[in-house]
Amino acid sequence: MVICLTGGTMPERLAEMLLDLWTPLIILWITLPPCIYMAPMNQSQVLMSGSPLELNRLTEEQRILNRSKRGWVWNQMFVLEEFSGPEPILVGRLHTDLDPGSKKIKYILSGDGAGTIFQINDITGDIHAIKRLDREEKAEYTLTAQAVDWETNKPLEPPSEFIIKVQDINDNAPEFLNGPYHATVPEMSILGTSVTNVTATDADDPVYGNSAKLVYSILEGQPYFSIEPETAIIKTALPNMDREAKEEYLVVIQAKDMGGHSGGLSGTTTLTVTLTDVNDNPPKFAQSLYHFSVPEDVVLGTAIGRVKANDQDIGENAQSSYDIIDGDGTALFEITSDAQAQDGIIRLRKPLDFETKKSYTLKVEAANVHIDPRFSGRGPFKDTATVKIVVEDADEPPVFSSPTYLLEVHENAALNSVIGQVTARDPDITSSPIRFSIDRHTDLERQFNINADDGKITLATPLDRELSVWHNITIIATEIRNHSQISRVPVAIKVLDVNDNAPEFASEYEAFLCENGKPGQVIQTVSAMDKDDPKNGHYFLYSLLPEMVNNPNFTIKKNEDNSLSILAKHNGFNRQKQEVYLLPIIISDSGNPPLSSTSTLTIRVCGCSSDGVVQSCNVEAYVLPIGLSMGALIAILACIILLLVIVVLFVTLRRHKNEPLIIKDDEDVRENIIRYDDEGGGEEDTEAFDIATLQNPDGINGFLPPLLSLIFMVMHRKS
Ligand SMILES: *[C@@H]1O[C@H](CO)[C@@H](O)[C@H](O)[C@H]1NC(C)=O
Ligand SMILES: *[C@@H]1O[C@H](CO)[C@@H](O)[C@H](O)[C@H]1NC(C)=O
């Protein structure tokens, strides 16, 4: 079969197109035979032919020769896109070399778009495109052709596949899909610095013809920027563009297809180029001289004023650090840089004193922080200015001669004696006299007084170091001319010790002496205490009373540690002989003059075990059973007599009444006694035997009642 390209029905427009499509199509038409013999392909007899006009001029030999010489894809047809003539366009012709005379042949077309886009004349084999084609939508169609017997529909040869390619025409303009564009380039860049590149796309066939061959140019934005026609790289076209002069540029870029030739389609986009800042400008003070004034009593750290150096650059390129580089106030003032406001803040570092110095001059410098070495040759990126600071007088409170005072006074200081003195002055030029007073909240007991004029502190009430060592008070100084100008100062008054306390026993001692103790035995060790607080500590002296020095019973011995031991001089102490000894001891301190006191130690004689453990010091328990003192015996005797008289009286009365004395319950003695009492109800003097008295051991006759009851009981039992 022969497939022929066709141009037979190609309209005039094609001729125009051909001018543009100078590439493969023309070559095809000139060098390739429009009809190609397909014999080598598996016995196929199908031939393809191009334009029938030219087909006629070509011989079979030429076709084969050309085919073998060149590797052209032979089994394809071409059809122009976007063609819309009054008649369907002839794409090509199918032709079989089987003898058409012997059999009637019918051509059948199948595949992409067969019947819908491409129609075949089944007798002639002409293929027409019946629809307008768009290469950008579908660039090629694969179809199958076959010759069959007209009557039997039997295939006369195997089917042949071929392709119809849609031929591109320049029907798409370049487009900048990502535009509009923004780019930045540092100011002061050298000529030819690359800014950015842009890309346009063209939907036309990039491999066929020039429909998609783009060339870029700048329509607007010269002479500042240039573009490379092929790569679309945009570069600076002027050196040293200054951001401070013009920051933003609008560049209009055009892309044109057909290699930029006339007749091509074009598209444009805009590129906004912003120059970025570089540090090409130094800071410059707005003023060369600044004046500030400040009251002398301003708080340290207070901002006194701001100085600002302007910088045409922006961001960190405009940042300056401020310094005080000279002047007579460098020690008193400091300057800090405020990065936000890009200015310098002058602050007070040390207290001012109007009375000492009334004005200061500072030389301040602002220096760019981020220097660009490229421009450092342009001069110093810093500037200086002069700052004059005037100190204003302020009414200041009095100033004490010392921030604190420490006074010392002996505790025996006389009333109204001067303890110490505070002084204060008004620092102002109009120096006001000062009045002193004591802050009474700090001297609630009004221990002290102060002379309002000269600040002398005197003692108002007696001191006692042993009560309070420190009296920490506050003195107030007030300016007479302005009572609101007040200062306070702490005064610590320390009370110094005077030996005004005599030593005494450190505690109440109770000494026990064993009856079986040996001579020289230590009965007790005592220590002394003294409320005073001498510088070198206490040293006590102990002694016995003069009349006791030759005491045969006891002696004393001072110990190393300031304590005293009392020793027994002999053995054989007996509590029956003497139960308690009193030993007065004189203790004196080492003060000047020394003070002494006499403390008496009570020594009790006790019964002890053989190893010296006290067992009994009770004299009463021991004495009673053995014998009573004379007085006690007489008392008991008197009582017995008295009782006997009462009993006799009682018995007489009973007998008189003929009532026997019956005691039924021998065990309840108390009951009996009460009843006995009750029986004597007729008597007036029952009070003398009040049972309460008998039961109360603390009664006036504390000793007698138990004894009485004892006698009563004995008598009862006998009767
Ligand atoms: C008083 O002041 C002195 C000295 O500053 C200090 O040592 C002492 O503790 C203070 N006493 C009182 C009760 O505040
Ligand atoms: C010494 O002890 C005896 C009896 O033990 C006593 O009579 C005498 O008064 C005592 N002397 C002194 C000074 O206590």
Short mmCIF file of all heavy atoms in Angstrom, two decimals, residues 548 551-553 577-578 581, ligand 2:
data_model
loop_
_atom_site.label_atom_id
_atom_site.label_comp_id
_atom_site.label_asym_id
_atom_site.label_seq_id
_atom_site.Cartn_x
_atom_site.Cartn_y
_atom_site.Cartn_z
N MET A 548 34.34 32.65 161.81
CA MET A 548 34.18 31.25 161.42
C MET A 548 35.47 30.67 160.85
O MET A 548 35.53 29.51 160.48
CB MET A 548 33.08 31.13 160.36
CG MET A 548 31.69 31.51 160.85
SD MET A 548 31.03 30.25 161.93
CE MET A 548 30.18 29.25 160.73
N ASN A 551 36.69 27.68 162.43
CA ASN A 551 35.59 26.73 162.58
C ASN A 551 36.15 25.32 162.66
O ASN A 551 36.91 24.89 161.79
CB ASN A 551 34.70 26.92 161.33
CG ASN A 551 33.51 25.99 161.30
OD1 ASN A 551 33.53 24.93 161.92
ND2 ASN A 551 32.49 26.42 160.60
N PRO A 552 35.83 24.57 163.71
CA PRO A 552 36.40 23.21 163.83
C PRO A 552 35.73 22.22 162.88
O PRO A 552 36.25 21.14 162.66
CB PRO A 552 36.09 22.85 165.28
CG PRO A 552 34.86 23.63 165.61
CD PRO A 552 34.92 24.90 164.83
N ASN A 553 34.58 22.57 162.36
CA ASN A 553 33.78 21.59 161.60
C ASN A 553 34.05 21.62 160.10
O ASN A 553 34.13 20.57 159.47
CB ASN A 553 32.29 21.85 161.82
CG ASN A 553 31.94 21.77 163.30
OD1 ASN A 553 32.52 20.96 164.04
ND2 ASN A 553 31.04 22.62 163.73
N LYS A 577 22.93 15.00 167.41
CA LYS A 577 23.67 16.05 168.10
C LYS A 577 23.38 17.40 167.45
O LYS A 577 22.97 18.35 168.10
CB LYS A 577 25.17 15.75 168.02
CG LYS A 577 25.83 15.67 169.40
CD LYS A 577 27.20 15.02 169.28
CE LYS A 577 28.29 16.09 169.44
NZ LYS A 577 29.59 15.48 169.09
N GLN A 578 23.59 17.43 166.14
CA GLN A 578 23.24 18.66 165.38
C GLN A 578 22.83 18.26 163.98
O GLN A 578 23.57 17.62 163.26
CB GLN A 578 24.43 19.62 165.34
CG GLN A 578 24.04 20.90 164.63
CD GLN A 578 24.93 22.08 164.99
OE1 GLN A 578 25.74 22.00 165.93
NE2 GLN A 578 24.76 23.18 164.29
N TYR A 581 23.83 22.52 159.85
CA TYR A 581 24.85 23.54 160.09
C TYR A 581 24.67 24.64 159.06
O TYR A 581 24.36 24.36 157.90
CB TYR A 581 26.27 22.95 159.94
CG TYR A 581 26.60 21.94 161.00
CD1 TYR A 581 26.27 20.59 160.84
CD2 TYR A 581 27.28 22.34 162.17
CE1 TYR A 581 26.58 19.66 161.81
CE2 TYR A 581 27.59 21.40 163.14
CZ TYR A 581 27.25 20.07 162.96
OH TYR A 581 27.55 19.17 163.91
C1 LIG B 2 30.81 22.38 165.47
O1 LIG B 2 29.99 21.26 165.78
C2 LIG B 2 29.63 21.14 167.13
C3 LIG B 2 28.80 19.90 167.35
O2 LIG B 2 28.88 19.05 166.30
C4 LIG B 2 28.86 22.35 167.57
O3 LIG B 2 28.56 22.27 168.92
C5 LIG B 2 29.62 23.62 167.24
O4 LIG B 2 28.84 24.73 167.53
C6 LIG B 2 30.03 23.63 165.82
N1 LIG B 2 30.81 24.80 165.56
C7 LIG B 2 30.48 25.64 164.59
C8 LIG B 2 31.39 26.82 164.50
O5 LIG B 2 29.54 25.44 163.90
#
